[in-house]
Amino acid sequence: NKFFSNFYFSLLFTSFCLLILLNGSNFIDGLNGLNLGYFLLVLITLIIASKVTNFNIDEKTIISLLIIFIFLLFLNLCNFLYIGDSGAYLIGFVIGILIIETHLLNPSVSPYFFALLLWYPAFENFFSIIRKKTIKLDPTEPDTNHLHQLIYKLLNNKNYSNIFASIIINFYNLAVFLTSIVFMDNTLYLSLLLFINIFVYLMTYFICKKNINSL
């Protein structure tokens, strides 16, 4: 708290986290519906939290974004529209700013609640950098070894694997989001849930990787 009370440190850290989110948003844009679906669930979670607790939100902004995201998701799933790199960065930026503003409206809520809403794209980015460094690859170079791509390969269905992989990942995250609402003011439980997510991610990644290599 002493560090974050310093304006310049807080600004630097927040900017760094926002950059991680932007890059992570682009990382998870490899399957139809994954990026838009994930951030759509973030918006829905904020609305649910405001209805079941004393959670404050900018309802007009969130509902407006919700309608836009639903429309874009429909076009994306029907292969009429692809958001591309610029779209992924824009979505990550808008959601990041929204989360910051929502956190400011709810100072009593644990910051880990908001971290959990964005954990997947952020950890995807972080893990990708470590993974590439470990095998001596340039972290800035793209590859097809992200978790969502491994799940896609493992499903091995040309017609449905793309959407099914997105659904699996987003349904898991929906369960995480709904659970986090119950403990939104309990940092201990939320931090434990965050570590469980990281464990599940790593276990799923290495299991998928092993099964794909054995095919």
Side-chain angles (χ1 to χ4, degrees), residues 70-104:
I70 290 174
F71 178 68
L72 292 177
L73 180 61
F74 172 77
L75 294 178
N76 185 238
L77 293 176
C78 294
N79 293 318
F80 291 143
L81 175 142
Y82 298 98
I83 59 176
D85 291 348
S86 58
Y89 289 134
L90 178 60
I91 290 172
F93 179 78
V94 169
I95 295 298
I97 295 299
L98 178 65
I99 291 296
I100 292 171
E101 291 181 344
T102 306
H103 182 31
L104 293 175

Side-chain angles (χ1 to χ4, degrees), residues 4-186:
F4 285 108
S5 64
N6 182 286
F7 172 78
Y8 297 104
F9 178 83
S10 180
L11 180 63
L12 179 64
F13 181 79
T14 303
S15 300
F16 174 72
C17 291
L18 193 57
L19 286 173
I20 291 176
L21 176 61
L22 262 64
N23 204 32
S25 175
N26 189 41
F27 274 29
I28 67 171
D29 185 36
L31 301 176
N32 285 2
L34 182 56
N35 180 294
L36 285 166
Y38 181 86
F39 289 117
L40 181 63
L41 293 179
V42 171
L43 296 174
I44 292 173
T45 301
L46 293 177
I47 292 175
I48 293 175
S50 72
K51 300 301 181 183
V52 300
T53 67
N54 296 321
F55 190 74
N56 299 311
I57 61 171
D58 182 350
E59 191 167 346
K60 289 183 179 180
T61 299
I62 291 178
I63 291 178
S64 297
L65 288 172
L66 191 68
I67 294 172
I68 293 171
F69 279 24
I70 290 174
F71 178 68
L72 292 177
L73 180 61
F74 172 77
L75 294 178
N76 185 238
L77 293 176
C78 294
N79 293 318
F80 291 143
L81 175 142
Y82 298 98
I83 59 176
D85 291 348
S86 58
Y89 289 134
L90 178 60
I91 290 172
F93 179 78
V94 169
I95 295 298
I97 295 299
L98 178 65
I99 291 296
I100 292 171
E101 291 181 344
T102 306
H103 182 31
L104 293 175
L105 291 173
N106 300 273
S108 63
V109 174
S110 171
Y112 278 82
F113 170 72
F114 300 102
L116 276 166
L117 294 180
L118 305 174
W119 83 273
Y120 172 56
F123 188 73
E124 182 74 82
N125 185 10
F126 177 70
F127 179 69
S128 178
I129 293 172
I130 294 177
R131 173 172 57 81
K132 292 176 183 178
K133 281 288 187 180
T134 302
I135 57 178
K136 302 185 184 307
L137 291 178
D138 184 354
T140 62
E141 289 297 320
D143 66 5
T144 57
N145 287 316
H146 300 297
L147 177 62
H148 61 273
Q149 292 166 325
L150 296 184
I151 295 175
Y152 167 76
K153 294 175 185 176
L154 199 59
L155 289 174
N156 196 27
N157 186 307
K158 294 181 179 179
N159 295 323
Y160 302 108
S161 293
N162 194 304
I163 295 177
F164 280 170
S166 297
I167 291 174
I168 290 170
I169 294 171
N170 283 334
F171 261 91
Y172 172 82
N173 281 299
L174 177 60
V176 171
F177 296 163
L178 295 179
T179 303
S180 68
I181 293 176
V182 179
F183 305 106
M184 64 194 314
D185 59 348
N186 192 315

